[in-house]
């Protein structure tokens, strides 16, 4: 570590930020980093992460520090580093930035994905098959079943179907169950 004052180091760094003087200044203010490490916890941060962030803050602070306007570089660096630590804590705690689930491989989870992600082409084929099955089931229905099933397809309630076809509610409900059973049989074929 250098015996040069902060002012001299900052002057030298103003000409060349890549000089070893930056590491000398960083080592001089390592106790500031250690104090913040004892005070605050950042999830997932290791010692090397802390040091890297502190060095980046040091680099940035050297760039923006105005020797003629500010008196103490150490106090300014401590403030800048504390603000960065607060930002990192805030980022780690923000729910919208936290992943709720780790990434998965499509190849290893193919069965799960095929069961959960809707395939629009498959849904369209399924809808067309269901429409075709409805047209095929109509000739297999009795007169009452046909009237009730047609009413259901139109979106009519069982009460309305009963009134239109002069059926009891029990007749309409039974015809509805029978026609739906015939449709399920046809779909199962």
């Amino acid at each position: 570590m250098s015996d040069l004052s902060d002012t001299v180091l900052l002057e030298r760094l103003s000409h060349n930020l890549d000089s070893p003087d930056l590491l000398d200044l960083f080592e001089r203010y390592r106790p500031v980093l250690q104090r913040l490490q004892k005070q605050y916890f950042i999830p997932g941060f290791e010692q090397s992460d802390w040091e890297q962030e502190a060095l980046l803050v040091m680099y940035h602070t050297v760039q923006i520090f105005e020797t003629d306007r500010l008196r103490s570089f150490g106090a300014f660096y401590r403030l800048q580093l504390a603000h960065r630590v607060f930002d990192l804590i805030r980022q780690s705690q923000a729910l919208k930035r936290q992943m709720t689930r780790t990434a998965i491989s499509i190849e290893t989870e193919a069965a799960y994905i095929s069961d959960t992600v809707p395939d629009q082409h498959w849904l369209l084929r399924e809808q067309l098959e269901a429409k075709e099955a409805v047209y095929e089931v109509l000739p297999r229905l009795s007169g009452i079943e046909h009237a009730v099933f047609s009413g259901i397809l139109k979106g009519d309630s069982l009460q309305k179907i009963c009134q239109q076809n002069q059926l009891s509610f029990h007749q309409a409900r039974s015809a509805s169950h029978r026609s739906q059973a015939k449709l399920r049989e046809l779909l199962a074929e």
Side-chain angles (χ1 to χ4, degrees):
M1 193 152 72
S2 171
D3 292 334
L4 301 173
S5 70
D6 288 354
T7 310
V8 172
L9 287 174
L10 289 169
E11 179 61 33
R12 289 170 62 173
L13 285 168
S14 68
H15 300 296
N16 182 13
L17 274 170
D18 292 333
S19 77
D21 293 330
L22 183 67
L23 292 177
D24 288 342
L25 197 59
F26 178 71
E27 287 302 321
R28 183 175 292 173
Y29 289 102
R30 182 175 287 279
V32 172
L33 168 64
Q34 292 168 338
R35 203 171 17 247
L36 286 172
Q37 277 182 293
K38 289 178 185 174
Q39 281 183 310
Y40 300 103
F41 172 75
I42 303 173
F45 256 54
E46 296 175 1
Q47 180 64 30
S48 60
D49 298 323
W50 278 93
E51 289 179 8
Q52 183 178 10
E53 286 296 330
L55 189 56
L56 286 170
V57 170
M58 175 68 71
Y59 182 84
H60 178 71
T61 305
V62 165
Q63 288 179 318
I64 63 172
F65 184 74
E66 298 173 10
T67 53
D68 55 331
R69 199 172 139 230
L70 301 170
R71 291 188 150 219
S72 171
F73 175 79
F76 188 61
Y77 172 67
R78 182 173 45 248
L79 181 67
Q80 292 292 316
L81 186 57
H83 287 173
R84 180 63 184 148
V85 168
F86 299 153
D87 287 344
L88 291 169
I89 291 170
R90 199 174 355 216
Q91 286 175 1
S92 71
Q93 298 300 319
L95 292 176
K96 65 182 176 185
R97 292 188 186 102
Q98 288 181 347
M99 289 185 57
T100 57
R101 206 177 142 161
T102 58
I104 59 172
S105 168
I106 292 176
E107 288 81 20
T108 59
E109 300 292 335
Y112 171 76
I113 291 171
S114 67
D115 289 342
T116 57
V117 176
D119 179 2
Q120 299 302 323
H121 296 291
W122 186 81
L123 291 174
L124 182 61
R125 281 193 304 268
E126 189 177 67
Q127 289 173 352
L128 291 173
E129 288 174 7
K131 282 184 181 179
E132 187 178 309
V134 166
Y135 289 119
E136 287 180 29
V137 82
L138 288 175
R140 298 182 185 187
L141 301 177
S142 69
I144 294 175
E145 292 170 348
H146 190 283
V148 170
F149 191 71
S150 297
I152 291 172
L153 288 176
K154 288 186 221 171
D156 295 340
S157 67
L158 281 180
Q159 288 83 7
K160 185 175 181 182
I161 295 170
C162 291
Q163 291 172 352
Q164 290 175 342
N165 297 295
Q166 299 165 349
L167 300 170
S168 71
F169 185 78
H170 177 71
Q171 286 176 314
R173 189 176 61 202
S174 296
S176 169
H177 289 304
R178 288 192 307 272
S179 61
Q180 288 174 21
K182 289 179 181 178
L183 179 61
R184 279 194 292 275
E185 286 174 16
L186 183 66
L187 288 171
E189 292 176 359

